[in-house]
Amino acid sequence: MKYKFLPLLAILLFLINCSVKKDIGSTNIYEVKLDTLTMFDKARGRKIPVAFFSPKTEKKIPGQQVVIFSHGYGANHGGDYLIYSYLTENLASKGYFVVSIQHELPTDALIPMEGKPQTVRMPFWERGVENILFVLKEIKKSKPELDYRHLTLIGHSNGGDMTALFANKYPNLIYKIITMDNRRMYLPKTAIPKIYTLRSNDYPADEGVLPNEAEQEKFNITIQFTNINHGTMDDKGNDEERKTLNSFIEGYLNEK
């Protein structure tokens, strides 16, 4: 007699599981909390301002993924890590834990505008890579419950060059990268990590930065062209441009 209840029990447990599961890919929209602090890398004697955009919720989000964002070049004026709020806040509202890093400090040398970029700008990109690596290690200590197996790096322009270099140097630490119109640093020609790049309509990448068609197919690399200017991929973009970029990025993040 008791065995008649087993199918009903199985269905009930399934429905309960579906109702409580809160995956990153779900349709939940959260309020967003912004926290800022300045980390300090003792080994390099360097301050690293960071902003954390996180879902405002009392319950933990199972499998909460991490996105680390790197801004475009701001000529050391500061505050660049906060001017992509249309993107960072949107991702946090969908359940991601988003970290935005301020890579430039007022005391830093300005980025070189003459000479071969892949040579003269490499020390600046390497510094950015070290910033990302340090911040990643620190948040792993403070928030070990997050899903670091599916870590995504996103970067615009010069920050995209840093992101591409990080993927070249530490491919096993990240799951995906999304570069927003990086123009100088070569994208890795590899399947690990997964590579997606959004391109502007006004500035071409340097020769060799983007993989050719055969490499795109071989390594499953996606190059997405847009009608958006390079300089309006931050908060200066209009509502339609922001919506377009968010849609492309969310879609790629949701791909398996």
Side-chain angles (χ1 to χ4, degrees):
M1 188 69 179
K2 63 181 179 180
Y3 295 106
K4 293 182 179 180
F5 294 97
L6 289 178
L8 180 60
L9 179 61
I11 293 172
L12 181 61
L13 289 173
F14 174 79
L15 292 174
I16 292 172
N17 181 64
C18 289
S19 66
V20 300
K21 192 173 183 182
K22 305 294 184 182
D23 286 338
I24 290 297
S26 73
T27 57
N28 293 321
I29 302 296
Y30 300 92
E31 288 186 58
V32 176
K33 179 175 67 172
L34 168 62
D35 295 299
T36 60
L37 63 84
T38 299
M39 296 182 174
F40 186 72
D41 184 352
K42 292 182 180 178
R44 295 185 296 151
R46 185 171 182 83
K47 294 179 180 179
I48 308 173
V50 294
F52 301 104
F53 298 85
S54 59
K56 191 182 293 184
T57 175
E58 295 180 359
K59 297 181 179 179
K60 290 186 178 180
I61 301 175
Q64 186 177 17
Q65 295 180 23
V66 181
V67 173
I68 297 180
F69 182 82
S70 297
H71 60 82
Y73 184 56
N76 301 2
H77 295 308
D80 308 282
Y81 67 146
L82 298 173
I83 63 170
Y84 295 81
S85 60
Y86 80 92
L87 172 57
T88 51
E89 290 183 6
N90 179 66
L91 291 179
S93 77
K94 303 301 173 63
Y96 293 91
F97 185 81
V98 184
V99 185
S100 184
I101 301 174
Q102 176 64 40
H103 288 288
E104 302 163 18
L105 300 177
T107 53
D108 290 339
L110 295 175
I111 199 168
M113 296 298 174
E114 297 182 359
K116 184 178 180 181
Q118 291 78 9
T119 300
V120 298
R121 298 187 183 183
M122 184 60 70
F124 295 81
W125 300 338
E126 289 177 338
R127 184 179 65 204
V129 167
E130 291 302 310
N131 289 343
I132 296 169
L133 192 61
F134 178 81
V135 170
L136 176 59
K137 289 178 179 178
E138 291 301 303
I139 60 174
K140 280 184 175 181
K141 293 176 188 175
S142 61
K143 293 186 174 295
E145 73 277 8
L146 298 177
D147 178 8
Y148 296 99
R149 294 182 302 107
H150 295 96
L151 171 67
T152 297
L153 301 189
I154 304 177
H156 174 225
S157 192
N158 193 56
D161 291 324
M162 296 175 187
T163 297
L165 180 59
F166 192 102
N168 276 287
K169 297 185 72 169
Y170 302 105
N172 295 324
L173 291 182
I174 44 181
Y175 180 55
K176 293 179 178 179
I177 69 166
I178 301 174
T179 68
M180 301 168 65
D181 218 35
N182 70 299
R183 300 173 53 219
R184 310 300 190 181
M185 180 62 208
Y186 310 110
L187 288 171
K189 276 66 170 184
T190 177
I192 299 175
K194 298 178 183 296
I195 299 167
Y196 183 84
T197 182
L198 289 159
R199 312 311 305 174
S200 74
N201 66 350
D202 55 345
Y203 287 127
D206 288 351
E207 184 177 357
V209 167
L210 301 179
N212 59 38
E213 289 187 7
E215 292 166 333
Q216 293 171 48
E217 183 175 356
K218 179 179 180 180
F219 300 114
N220 196 29
I221 296 171
T222 300
I223 298 178
Q224 179 62 60
F225 292 95
T226 75
N227 290 320
I228 301 172
N229 289 348
H230 179 91
T232 57
M233 287 185 163
D234 59 13
D235 284 346
K236 292 192 297 294
N238 62 40
D239 289 344
E240 189 61 33
E241 290 171 332
R242 297 179 186 189
K243 181 179 179 180
T244 296
L245 292 171
N246 276 332
S247 178
F248 280 137
I249 290 170
E250 283 184 60
Y252 185 66
L253 288 174
N254 288 331
E255 288 183 10
K256 301 299 183 182

